[in-house]
Coordinates of all heavy atoms in Angstrom, one line a residue:
V1 N 100.0 113.6 99.4 CA 100.6 112.2 99.5 C 101.4 112.3 100.7 O 102.1 113.1 101.1 CB 101.6 112.0 98.3 CG1 102.3 110.7 98.5 CG2 100.9 112.1 97.0
A2 N 101.2 111.2 101.6 CA 101.8 111.1 102.8 C 103.1 110.4 102.7 O 103.3 109.4 102.0 CB 101.0 110.3 103.8
A3 N 104.1 110.9 103.4 CA 105.5 110.2 103.4 C 105.6 109.2 104.4 O 105.0 109.2 105.4 CB 106.5 111.4 103.7
A4 N 106.3 108.1 104.1 CA 106.4 107.0 105.0 C 107.6 107.4 106.0 O 108.4 108.1 105.7 CB 106.9 105.8 104.2
S5 N 107.4 106.9 107.2 CA 108.3 107.1 108.2 C 109.6 106.2 107.9 O 109.4 105.1 107.8 CB 107.7 106.8 109.5 OG 108.7 106.9 110.5
V6 N 110.8 106.7 107.7 CA 112.0 106.0 107.5 C 113.0 106.4 108.6 O 113.4 107.5 108.8 CB 112.5 106.4 106.1 CG1 113.8 105.6 105.8 CG2 111.5 106.1 105.1
P7 N 113.6 105.2 109.1 CA 114.7 105.5 110.2 C 115.8 106.2 109.4 O 116.0 106.1 108.3 CB 115.1 104.1 110.5 CG 114.0 103.2 110.2 CD 113.3 103.9 109.0
Q8 N 116.5 106.9 110.2 CA 117.5 107.9 109.7 C 118.9 107.4 109.5 O 119.9 108.2 109.8 CB 117.5 109.3 110.5 CG 116.3 110.0 110.3 CD 115.9 110.4 108.9 OE1 116.8 110.9 108.2 NE2 114.7 110.2 108.5
S9 N 119.3 106.2 109.3 CA 120.5 105.6 109.1 C 121.0 106.1 107.7 O 120.2 106.5 106.8 CB 120.5 104.1 109.1 OG 119.9 103.5 107.9
S10 N 122.3 106.1 107.4 CA 122.8 106.6 106.2 C 122.2 105.8 105.0 O 121.8 106.3 103.9 CB 124.3 106.6 106.1 OG 124.8 105.2 106.2
N11 N 122.0 104.4 105.0 CA 121.5 103.7 104.0 C 119.9 104.0 103.8 O 119.5 104.2 102.7 CB 121.6 102.2 104.2 CG 123.0 101.6 104.1 OD1 123.8 102.4 103.3 ND2 123.4 100.5 104.6
N12 N 119.2 104.1 104.7 CA 117.7 104.5 104.7 C 117.6 106.0 104.1 O 116.8 106.2 103.4 CB 117.0 104.3 105.9 CG 116.8 102.9 106.3 OD1 116.8 102.1 105.3 ND2 116.7 102.5 107.5
Q13 N 118.5 106.8 104.6 CA 118.4 108.2 104.1 C 118.7 108.1 102.4 O 118.1 108.8 101.7 CB 119.6 109.1 104.7 CG 119.6 110.5 104.3 CD 118.2 111.2 104.6 OE1 117.7 110.9 105.7 NE2 117.7 112.2 104.1
Q14 N 119.6 107.4 102.0 CA 119.9 107.3 100.6 C 118.6 106.7 99.9 O 118.3 107.1 98.8 CB 121.2 106.5 100.3 CG 122.4 107.1 100.7 CD 123.7 106.3 100.5 OE1 123.4 105.0 100.3 NE2 124.7 106.8 100.6
L15 N 118.0 105.7 100.4 CA 116.8 105.1 99.8 C 115.7 106.1 99.8 O 115.1 106.2 98.8 CB 116.4 103.8 100.6 CG 117.2 102.6 100.5 CD1 116.7 101.6 101.5 CD2 117.3 102.2 99.0
R16 N 115.5 106.9 100.8 CA 114.5 107.8 100.8 C 114.7 108.9 99.7 O 113.9 109.4 99.0 CB 114.3 108.5 102.2 CG 113.1 109.4 102.3 CD 112.9 110.1 103.5 NE 113.9 111.2 103.5 CZ 114.3 111.8 104.6 NH1 113.7 111.6 105.9 NH2 115.2 112.8 104.5
N17 N 116.0 109.4 99.7 CA 116.3 110.4 98.6 C 116.2 109.8 97.3 O 115.6 110.5 96.4 CB 117.7 110.8 98.8 CG 117.9 111.7 100.1 OD1 117.0 112.3 100.7 ND2 119.0 111.8 100.6
R18 N 116.5 108.6 97.1 CA 116.3 108.0 95.8 C 114.9 107.9 95.4 O 114.4 108.1 94.3 CB 117.1 106.6 95.7 CG 117.2 106.1 94.4 CD 118.1 104.8 94.4 NE 119.3 104.9 95.0 CZ 119.9 104.0 95.8 NH1 119.2 102.9 96.1 NH2 121.0 104.3 96.3
R19 N 114.1 107.5 96.4 CA 112.6 107.2 96.3 C 112.0 108.6 95.9 O 111.0 108.6 95.2 CB 112.0 106.7 97.5 CG 110.6 106.1 97.2 CD 110.0 105.5 98.5 NE 110.9 104.6 99.0 CZ 111.1 104.5 100.4 NH1 110.3 105.2 101.3 NH2 111.8 103.5 100.8
N20 N 112.4 109.8 96.4 CA 111.8 110.9 96.2 C 112.0 111.5 94.8 O 111.4 112.5 94.3 CB 112.3 112.0 97.2 CG 111.6 111.6 98.6 OD1 110.6 111.0 98.7 ND2 112.2 112.2 99.7
K21 N 113.0 111.0 94.1 CA 113.5 111.6 92.8 C 112.4 110.9 91.7 O 112.0 109.8 91.9 CB 114.8 111.1 92.4 CG 115.8 112.0 93.2 CD 117.3 111.4 92.7 CE 118.3 112.1 93.5 NZ 119.7 111.7 93.2
P22 N 112.1 111.7 90.7 CA 111.1 111.1 89.7 C 111.9 109.9 88.9 O 113.1 109.9 88.8 CB 111.0 112.3 88.9 CG 111.8 113.3 89.0 CD 112.4 112.9 90.4
I23 N 111.1 109.0 88.5 CA 111.7 107.8 87.8 C 112.1 108.2 86.5 O 113.2 108.0 86.0 CB 110.6 106.6 87.8 CG1 110.4 106.1 89.2 CG2 111.0 105.6 86.8 CD1 109.2 105.2 89.2
M24 N 111.3 108.9 85.7 CA 111.6 109.6 84.5 C 110.9 111.0 84.5 O 109.8 111.1 84.7 CB 110.9 108.8 83.4 CG 111.7 107.4 83.0 SD 110.8 106.7 81.6 CE 111.3 107.8 80.2
S25 N 111.8 111.9 84.5 CA 111.2 113.3 84.5 C 110.4 113.8 83.2 O 109.8 114.7 83.3 CB 112.4 114.2 84.8 OG 113.3 114.2 83.6
N26 N 110.6 112.9 82.3 CA 109.8 113.2 80.9 C 108.7 112.2 80.7 O 108.3 112.2 79.6 CB 110.9 113.2 79.8 CG 111.4 111.8 79.5 OD1 111.4 110.9 80.4 ND2 112.1 111.8 78.4
L27 N 108.1 111.6 81.8 CA 107.0 110.8 81.7 C 105.8 111.2 82.5 O 106.0 111.4 83.7 CB 107.4 109.3 81.9 CG 106.3 108.2 81.9 CD1 105.7 108.2 80.4 CD2 106.8 107.0 82.5
Y28 N 104.6 111.4 81.9 CA 103.5 111.8 82.6 C 102.5 110.8 82.4 O 102.2 110.3 81.4 CB 103.0 113.2 82.1 CG 101.8 113.7 82.7 CD1 101.8 114.4 83.9 CD2 100.5 113.4 82.0 CE1 100.6 114.8 84.5 CE2 99.4 114.0 82.5 CZ 99.4 114.5 83.7 OH 98.3 115.0 84.3
I29 N 101.8 110.3 83.6 CA 100.8 109.2 83.4 C 99.7 109.7 84.1 O 99.7 110.3 85.3 CB 101.2 107.9 84.1 CG1 102.5 107.4 83.4 CG2 100.2 106.9 84.1 CD1 103.1 106.2 84.0
E30 N 98.5 109.7 83.5 CA 97.2 110.1 84.2 C 96.2 109.0 84.1 O 95.9 108.6 83.0 CB 96.7 111.4 83.4 CG 95.4 111.9 84.3 CD 94.9 113.3 83.8 OE1 95.5 113.8 82.8 OE2 94.0 113.7 84.5
V31 N 95.7 108.7 85.2 CA 94.7 107.6 85.3 C 93.4 108.3 85.5 O 93.2 109.1 86.4 CB 95.0 106.7 86.5 CG1 93.9 105.6 86.6 CG2 96.4 106.0 86.3
G32 N 92.5 108.1 84.6 CA 91.2 108.8 84.7 C 91.3 110.1 84.0 O 91.1 111.2 84.7
A33 N 91.7 110.2 82.8 CA 92.1 111.4 82.1 C 91.0 112.4 81.8 O 91.1 113.5 81.5 CB 92.8 111.1 80.8
N34 N 89.7 111.7 81.9 CA 88.5 112.4 81.5 C 88.6 113.3 80.3 O 88.8 112.8 79.3 CB 88.2 113.3 82.9 CG 86.6 113.8 82.8 OD1 86.1 113.9 81.8 ND2 86.2 114.2 84.0
N35 N 88.5 114.7 80.4 CA 88.6 115.5 79.2 C 90.1 116.0 78.9 O 90.2 116.7 77.8 CB 87.5 116.7 79.3 CG 88.0 117.6 80.4 OD1 89.1 117.5 81.1 ND2 87.2 118.7 80.6
G36 N 91.0 115.6 79.7 CA 92.3 115.9 79.3 C 92.8 117.2 79.8 O 93.9 117.6 79.3
S37 N 92.1 117.9 80.6 CA 92.4 119.4 80.9 C 93.7 119.3 81.9 O 94.6 120.1 81.6 CB 91.3 120.0 81.7 OG 91.0 119.3 82.8
D38 N 93.9 118.4 82.8 CA 95.1 118.3 83.6 C 96.2 117.9 82.8 O 97.4 118.4 82.9 CB 94.8 117.3 84.7 CG 93.9 117.8 85.7 OD1 93.5 119.0 85.8 OD2 93.4 116.9 86.4
S39 N 96.0 116.9 81.7 CA 97.2 116.6 81.0 C 97.5 117.7 80.0 O 98.8 118.0 79.8 CB 96.7 115.4 80.1 OG 96.3 114.3 80.9
E40 N 96.6 118.4 79.4 CA 96.9 119.5 78.6 C 97.7 120.6 79.2 O 98.8 121.0 78.7 CB 95.6 120.1 78.1 CG 95.7 121.1 77.0 CD 94.5 121.5 76.4 OE1 93.4 121.7 77.1 OE2 94.4 121.6 75.2
R41 N 97.5 120.8 80.6 CA 98.1 121.8 81.3 C 99.5 121.4 81.7 O 100.5 122.3 81.4 CB 97.4 122.2 82.7 CG 97.7 123.3 83.4 CD 96.9 123.7 84.5 NE 96.3 122.7 85.3 CZ 94.9 122.3 85.2 NH1 94.2 123.1 84.3 NH2 94.4 121.4 85.8
Y42 N 99.7 120.2 82.0 CA 101.0 119.7 82.2 C 101.8 119.6 81.0 O 103.0 120.0 80.9 CB 101.1 118.2 82.8 CG 102.3 117.7 83.2 CD1 102.9 118.0 84.4 CD2 103.2 116.9 82.3 CE1 104.1 117.5 84.8 CE2 104.4 116.5 82.7 CZ 105.0 116.8 83.9 OH 106.2 116.4 84.3
I43 N 101.2 119.1 79.9 CA 102.1 119.0 78.5 C 102.5 120.4 78.1 O 103.5 120.6 77.4 CB 101.2 118.3 77.6 CG1 101.1 116.7 78.0 CG2 101.8 118.3 76.2 CD1 100.0 116.0 77.3
S44 N 101.6 121.3 78.3 CA 101.9 122.8 77.8 C 103.2 123.3 78.5 O 103.9 124.1 77.9 CB 100.7 123.6 78.0 OG 100.5 123.9 79.4
T45 N 103.4 122.8 79.7 CA 104.5 123.5 80.5 C 105.8 122.4 80.4 O 106.9 122.8 80.8 CB 104.3 123.7 82.0 OG1 103.8 122.5 82.5 CG2 103.2 124.8 82.1
H46 N 105.5 121.2 79.8 CA 106.6 120.3 79.6 C 106.4 119.6 78.1 O 106.1 118.4 78.0 CB 106.5 119.1 80.7 CG 106.6 119.5 82.1 ND1 105.5 120.1 82.7 CD2 107.7 119.6 82.9 CE1 105.9 120.4 84.1 NE2 107.2 120.1 84.1
P47 N 106.8 120.4 77.2 CA 106.4 120.0 75.8 C 107.2 118.8 75.3 O 106.7 118.2 74.3 CB 106.8 121.3 74.9 CG 107.7 121.9 75.9 CD 107.3 121.7 77.3
Y48 N 108.3 118.3 76.0 CA 109.0 117.3 75.4 C 108.7 116.0 76.2 O 109.3 114.9 76.0 CB 110.6 117.4 75.5 CG 110.8 118.6 74.5 CD1 111.2 119.9 75.1 CD2 110.8 118.5 73.2 CE1 111.5 120.9 74.3 CE2 111.1 119.5 72.4 CZ 111.5 120.8 73.0 OH 111.7 121.9 72.1
C49 N 107.8 116.1 77.1 CA 107.4 114.9 77.9 C 106.6 113.8 77.1 O 105.9 114.1 76.0 CB 106.6 115.2 79.1 SG 104.9 115.6 78.9
H50 N 106.7 112.7 77.6 CA 105.7 111.5 76.9 C 104.6 111.4 77.9 O 104.9 111.3 79.2 CB 106.5 110.2 76.8 CG 107.6 110.3 75.6 ND1 108.8 110.8 75.9 CD2 107.5 109.8 74.3 CE1 109.5 110.8 74.6 NE2 108.7 110.1 73.7
A51 N 103.4 111.2 77.4 CA 102.3 111.2 78.3 C 101.6 109.8 77.9 O 101.3 109.6 76.8 CB 101.4 112.5 78.2
I52 N 101.0 109.2 78.9 CA 100.2 108.0 78.8 C 98.9 108.4 79.5 O 98.9 108.6 80.8 CB 100.7 106.7 79.3 CG1 102.1 106.6 78.6 CG2 99.8 105.5 79.0 CD1 102.9 105.3 79.1
L53 N 97.8 108.4 78.8 CA 96.6 108.9 79.4 C 95.6 107.6 79.5 O 95.3 107.0 78.5 CB 95.8 110.0 78.7 CG 96.7 111.2 78.4 CD1 95.9 112.3 77.6 CD2 97.4 111.7 79.5
F54 N 95.2 107.2 80.6 CA 94.2 106.1 80.8 C 92.8 106.7 80.8 O 92.5 107.5 81.9 CB 94.6 105.2 81.9 CG 95.9 104.4 81.7 CD1 97.1 104.9 82.1 CD2 95.8 103.2 81.1 CE1 98.1 104.3 82.0 CE2 96.9 102.5 80.9 CZ 98.2 103.1 81.3
E55 N 91.9 106.3 80.1 CA 90.5 106.8 80.2 C 89.6 105.6 79.7 O 89.6 105.2 78.5 CB 90.1 108.1 79.4 CG 88.8 108.4 79.4 CD 88.2 108.5 80.8 OE1 88.7 109.4 81.7 OE2 87.1 107.9 81.0
P56 N 88.7 105.0 80.5 CA 88.0 103.8 80.2 C 86.7 104.2 79.5 O 86.2 103.2 78.8 CB 87.7 103.2 81.6 CG 87.6 104.3 82.6 CD 88.6 105.3 82.1
T57 N 86.2 105.3 79.6 CA 85.0 105.7 78.8 C 85.3 105.9 77.3 O 86.0 106.8 77.0 CB 84.4 107.0 79.5 OG1 84.3 106.8 80.9 CG2 83.0 107.3 78.8
P58 N 84.6 105.2 76.4 CA 84.8 105.1 75.0 C 84.8 106.6 74.5 O 85.7 107.0 73.7 CB 83.9 104.2 74.4 CG 83.5 103.3 75.5 CD 83.7 104.0 76.8
K59 N 83.8 107.2 74.7 CA 83.6 108.5 74.1 C 84.6 109.6 74.6 O 85.2 110.3 73.8 CB 82.2 109.2 74.4 CG 81.1 108.5 73.7 CD 79.8 109.2 73.9 CE 78.6 108.6 73.2 NZ 77.3 109.2 73.6
L60 N 84.9 109.5 75.9 CA 86.1 110.4 76.4 C 87.4 110.0 75.8 O 88.2 110.9 75.5 CB 86.1 110.3 77.8 CG 84.8 111.0 78.6 CD1 84.8 110.7 80.1 CD2 84.7 112.5 78.3
A61 N 87.7 108.7 75.7 CA 89.0 108.2 75.0 C 89.1 108.7 73.7 O 90.2 109.1 73.2 CB 89.1 106.7 75.1
L62 N 88.0 108.6 72.9 CA 88.0 109.0 71.5 C 88.3 110.5 71.4 O 89.1 111.0 70.6 CB 86.8 108.7 70.9 CG 86.6 109.1 69.3 CD1 87.7 108.4 68.5 CD2 85.1 108.8 68.9
A63 N 87.6 111.2 72.3 CA 87.8 112.8 72.3 C 89.3 113.1 72.7 O 89.8 114.1 72.1 CB 86.8 113.3 73.3
L64 N 89.8 112.3 73.6 CA 91.3 112.5 74.0 C 92.3 112.3 72.8 O 93.1 113.1 72.5 CB 91.7 111.6 75.1 CG 91.2 112.0 76.5 CD1 91.4 111.0 77.5 CD2 91.8 113.4 77.0
R65 N 91.9 111.2 72.0 CA 92.7 111.0 70.9 C 92.6 112.1 69.9 O 93.6 112.5 69.2 CB 92.3 109.6 70.3 CG 92.7 108.5 71.1 CD 92.5 107.2 70.4 NE 92.9 106.1 71.2 CZ 92.0 105.3 71.8 NH1 90.7 105.4 71.7 NH2 92.4 104.2 72.6
D66 N 91.4 112.6 69.8 CA 91.2 113.7 68.8 C 92.0 114.9 69.3 O 92.5 115.7 68.5 CB 89.8 114.1 68.6 CG 89.0 113.0 67.8 OD1 89.6 112.2 67.1 OD2 87.8 112.9 67.9
K67 N 91.9 115.2 70.7 CA 92.5 116.4 71.2 C 94.0 116.4 71.0 O 94.6 117.5 70.7 CB 92.2 116.5 72.7 CG 92.6 117.7 73.4 CD 92.0 117.6 74.9 CE 92.1 119.0 75.3 NZ 91.3 119.0 76.7
F68 N 94.6 115.2 71.2 CA 96.0 115.2 71.1 C 96.6 114.5 69.9 O 97.7 114.1 69.7 CB 96.7 114.4 72.3 CG 96.3 115.1 73.6 CD1 95.3 114.7 74.5 CD2 97.0 116.2 74.0 CE1 95.2 115.3 75.7 CE2 96.8 116.9 75.1 CZ 95.8 116.4 76.1
I69 N 95.8 114.6 68.7 CA 96.1 113.8 67.5 C 97.5 114.3 66.9 O 98.1 113.5 66.3 CB 94.9 113.9 66.6 CG1 95.2 112.9 65.4 CG2 94.9 115.3 66.0 CD1 93.9 112.7 64.5
H70 N 97.8 115.5 67.2 CA 99.0 116.2 66.6 C 100.3 116.1 67.5 O 101.3 116.4 67.2 CB 98.8 117.6 66.1 CG 97.8 117.7 65.1 ND1 98.0 117.1 63.8 CD2 96.6 118.1 65.0 CE1 96.9 117.4 63.0 NE2 96.0 118.0 63.8
N71 N 100.1 115.5 68.6 CA 101.1 115.4 69.6 C 101.5 113.9 69.6 O 100.8 113.0 70.3 CB 100.7 115.9 71.0 CG 102.0 115.9 72.0 OD1 102.8 115.0 71.8 ND2 101.9 116.8 72.9
H72 N 102.6 113.5 69.0 CA 102.9 112.0 68.9 C 103.7 111.6 70.2 O 103.9 110.4 70.3 CB 103.9 111.9 67.7 CG 103.3 112.3 66.4 ND1 102.2 111.6 65.9 CD2 103.5 113.4 65.6 CE1 101.9 112.2 64.8 NE2 102.6 113.3 64.6
N73 N 103.7 112.4 71.2 CA 104.3 111.9 72.5 C 103.1 111.7 73.5 O 103.5 111.2 74.7 CB 105.1 113.0 73.0 CG 106.4 113.1 72.3 OD1 107.0 112.2 71.7 ND2 107.0 114.4 72.4
V74 N 101.9 111.8 73.0 CA 100.8 111.4 73.9 C 100.1 110.1 73.4 O 99.7 110.0 72.2 CB 99.8 112.5 73.9 CG1 98.4 112.3 74.7 CG2 100.4 113.8 74.4
F75 N 99.9 109.2 74.3 CA 99.4 107.9 74.1 C 98.0 107.8 74.9 O 98.1 107.9 76.2 CB 100.3 106.7 74.3 CG 101.7 106.8 73.5 CD1 102.6 107.7 74.2 CD2 101.7 106.5 72.3 CE1 103.8 107.7 73.6 CE2 102.9 106.6 71.6 CZ 103.9 107.3 72.3
V76 N 96.9 107.5 74.4 CA 95.6 107.3 75.1 C 95.3 105.8 75.0 O 95.2 105.2 73.9 CB 94.5 108.1 74.4 CG1 93.2 107.9 75.1 CG2 94.8 109.6 74.3
E77 N 95.1 105.3 76.3 CA 94.7 104.0 76.4 C 93.4 103.9 77.0 O 93.0 104.4 78.0 CB 95.7 103.3 77.3 CG 97.1 103.0 76.9 CD 97.2 102.2 75.7 OE1 96.3 101.2 75.7 OE2 98.0 102.2 74.9
Q78 N 92.3 103.3 76.2 CA 91.1 103.1 76.6 C 91.0 101.9 77.6 O 90.6 100.8 77.2 CB 89.9 103.0 75.6 CG 88.6 103.0 76.0 CD 87.7 102.6 74.9 OE1 87.9 102.9 73.8 NE2 86.7 101.8 75.2
Q79 N 91.5 102.1 78.8 CA 91.5 101.0 79.8 C 91.2 101.7 81.2 O 91.6 102.8 81.5 CB 92.9 100.4 79.7 CG 93.4 99.8 78.5 CD 92.7 98.5 78.3 OE1 92.4 97.8 79.3 NE2 92.5 98.1 77.2
A80 N 90.6 100.9 82.0 CA 90.5 101.2 83.4 C 91.8 100.6 84.2 O 92.3 99.6 83.8 CB 89.2 100.5 84.0
V81 N 92.2 101.3 85.1 CA 93.4 101.0 85.9 C 92.7 100.6 87.3 O 92.2 101.4 87.9 CB 94.5 102.0 86.0 CG1 95.7 101.6 86.8 CG2 95.0 102.3 84.5
L82 N 93.0 99.4 87.8 CA 92.5 99.0 89.0 C 93.5 99.0 90.1 O 94.7 98.6 89.8 CB 91.7 97.7 89.0 CG 90.7 97.6 87.9 CD1 90.1 96.2 87.7 CD2 89.5 98.6 88.2

């Protein structure tokens, strides 16, 4: 991910610092979750996070729902994100 060039005034420094912080440290969003391997790896190291997985392919979305059926913090959306 490329960082934007920001002038170094004190106000802009604060904005850049604020922008670099996570919005919610306990929220994981994956677009194009496929088989869920990346999500599974993240969730295993962050067990209290909430995860929203987007997967447009019906069979894969169903498999994701089955895979995470016992984790009530994981939500699978069968949607494409454009």
Side-chain angles (χ1 to χ4, degrees):
V1 175
S5 175
V6 178
Q8 293 300 315
S9 74
S10 62
N11 286 340
N12 285 333
Q13 184 68 33
Q14 289 174 346
L15 288 173
R16 189 183 75 191
N17 289 342
R18 197 175 304 138
R19 191 179 314 142
N20 288 339
K21 291 181 182 177
I23 296 170
M24 284 182 71
S25 60
N26 63 347
L27 177 63
Y28 176 81
I29 298 173
E30 184 171 7
V31 177
N34 198 339
N35 65 5
S37 61
D38 291 338
S39 301
E40 189 172 42
R41 191 168 36 256
Y42 185 86
I43 292 164
S44 71
T45 59
H46 301 83
Y48 299 106
C49 78
H50 288 82
I52 304 171
L53 313 180
F54 291 92
E55 176 51 57
T57 307
K59 286 183 180 180
L60 291 174
L62 181 60
L64 286 169
R65 286 188 182 103
D66 289 343
K67 183 176 204 168
F68 295 107
I69 195 165
H70 297 293
N71 188 331
H72 299 290
N73 291 333
V74 176
F75 305 93
V76 178
E77 295 291 331
Q78 186 189 323
Q79 296 287 327
V81 177
L82 303 175

